[in-house]
């Protein structure tokens, strides 16, 4: 039950971010709903496609689809002041979303008895794939590739599960990993941590 609540928060946060990006780029109502649905669901679809696993269950989202649609509708129809107020807190919800999806992506691969690389890849693509799709649809450079340390935390969650430091059958250990991943995402945001990059235009 507790994990379902986390999933609801994750889906709502990712749908919120997609809708906000669409509005900021002046997309119409159809575009807002498409960009809103991309972050919570495209990562899982991409994961299954890359791992050559049936994607049918991804479409059977039930309550989570309604949560996403409801969140997008709130962003589109509610007063701007309300939406902007919640947008200030979205980084915290987004950290929950990243962590929950990354852990679940890694667990998905482990339960399918896939090797180390597939587990780590599954954690990354499930955690950040939807955000990349959102940015590509909005014709932006994907934020996870240049702006903030984001995908690294999904990768670390996958590595810890893949090598067995975290037992994916232990509920307590999974929640510890979930909390730690979200915490490091927030730390990297508030402390402005960045990975090294090379500037070819400076000597």
């Amino acid at each position: 039950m507790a994990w379902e609540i986390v999933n609801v928060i994750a889906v709502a946060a990712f749908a919120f971010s997609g809708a906000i990006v669409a509005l900021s780029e002046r997309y119409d109502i159809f575009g807002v709903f498409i960009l809103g649905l991309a972050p919570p669901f495209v990562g899982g679809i991409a994961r299954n496609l890359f791992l050559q696993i049936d994607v049918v269950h991804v479409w059977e989202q039930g309550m989570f689809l309604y949560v996403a649609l409801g969140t997008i509708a709130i962003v589109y129809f509610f007063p701007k002041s309300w939406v902007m107020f919640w947008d200030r807190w979205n980084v915290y919800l987004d950290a929950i979303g990243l962590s929950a999806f990354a852990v679940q992506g890694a667990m998905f691969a482990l339960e399918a008895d896939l090797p180390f690389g597939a587990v780590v890849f599954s954690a990354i693509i499930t955690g950040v794939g939807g955000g990349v799709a959102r940015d590509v649809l909005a014709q932006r450079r994907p934020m996870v590739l240049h702006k903030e340390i984001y995908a690294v935390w999904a990768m670390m969650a996958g590595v810890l599960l893949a090598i067995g430091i975290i037992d994916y059958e232990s509920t307590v250990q999974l929640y510890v990993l979930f909390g730690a991943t979200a915490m490091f995402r927030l730390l990297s945001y508030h402390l402005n941590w960045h990975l090294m990059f090379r500037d070819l235009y400076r000597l």
Side-chain angles (χ1 to χ4, degrees):
M1 181 62 182
W3 197 259
E4 286 189 7
I5 294 173
V6 168
N7 281 336
V8 168
I9 295 173
V11 168
F14 276 21
F16 185 95
S17 72
I20 288 291
V21 168
L23 287 176
S24 69
E25 297 293 332
R26 300 185 62 81
Y27 279 48
D28 63 19
I29 186 171
F30 182 75
V32 172
F33 274 86
I34 293 298
L35 261 71
L37 289 173
F41 300 121
V42 168
I45 295 171
R47 174 199 65 209
N48 285 26
L49 289 174
F50 279 116
L51 297 179
Q52 297 183 329
I53 295 174
D54 195 353
V55 299
V56 172
H57 80 281
V58 176
W59 299 108
E60 299 171 351
Q61 295 295 329
M63 173 184 65
F64 298 120
L65 177 60
Y66 298 126
V67 168
L69 291 173
T71 302
I72 298 165
I74 288 172
V75 171
Y76 191 85
F77 292 108
F78 273 42
K80 179 180 177 181
S81 59
W82 292 16
V83 174
M84 297 311 296
F85 171 80
W86 284 108
D87 188 40
R88 283 181 282 176
W89 299 97
N90 192 51
V91 64
Y92 299 94
L93 301 178
D94 181 77
I96 292 174
L98 169 70
S99 181
F101 283 3
V103 170
Q104 287 183 80
M107 288 170 57
F108 180 89
L110 285 169
E111 289 169 354
D113 200 27
L114 296 174
F116 173 87
V119 175
V120 176
F121 173 82
S122 183
I124 296 172
I125 199 68
T126 308
V128 308
V132 172
R134 174 202 64 207
D135 291 343
V136 170
L137 288 171
Q139 299 182 358
R140 293 180 170 187
R141 284 195 302 163
M143 179 269 290
V144 300
L145 300 180
H146 74 96
K147 191 174 181 181
E148 298 175 11
I149 301 179
Y150 194 85
V152 170
W153 306 126
M155 180 184 70
M156 292 306 301
V159 169
L160 291 174
L161 281 163
I163 63 180
I165 291 179
I166 300 294
D167 181 1
Y168 79 97
E169 295 183 343
S170 169
T171 302
V172 173
Q173 291 187 38
L174 285 177
Y175 277 113
V176 169
L177 177 61
F178 162 75
T181 304
M183 180 189 70
F184 278 109
R185 160 59 185 150
L186 289 173
L187 281 174
S188 65
Y189 174 80
H190 287 294
L191 298 179
N192 200 29
W193 291 347
H194 296 278
L195 295 176
M196 291 177 57
F197 68 94
R198 184 179 180 188
D199 190 345
L200 290 179
Y201 298 98
R202 287 188 177 182
L203 296 178

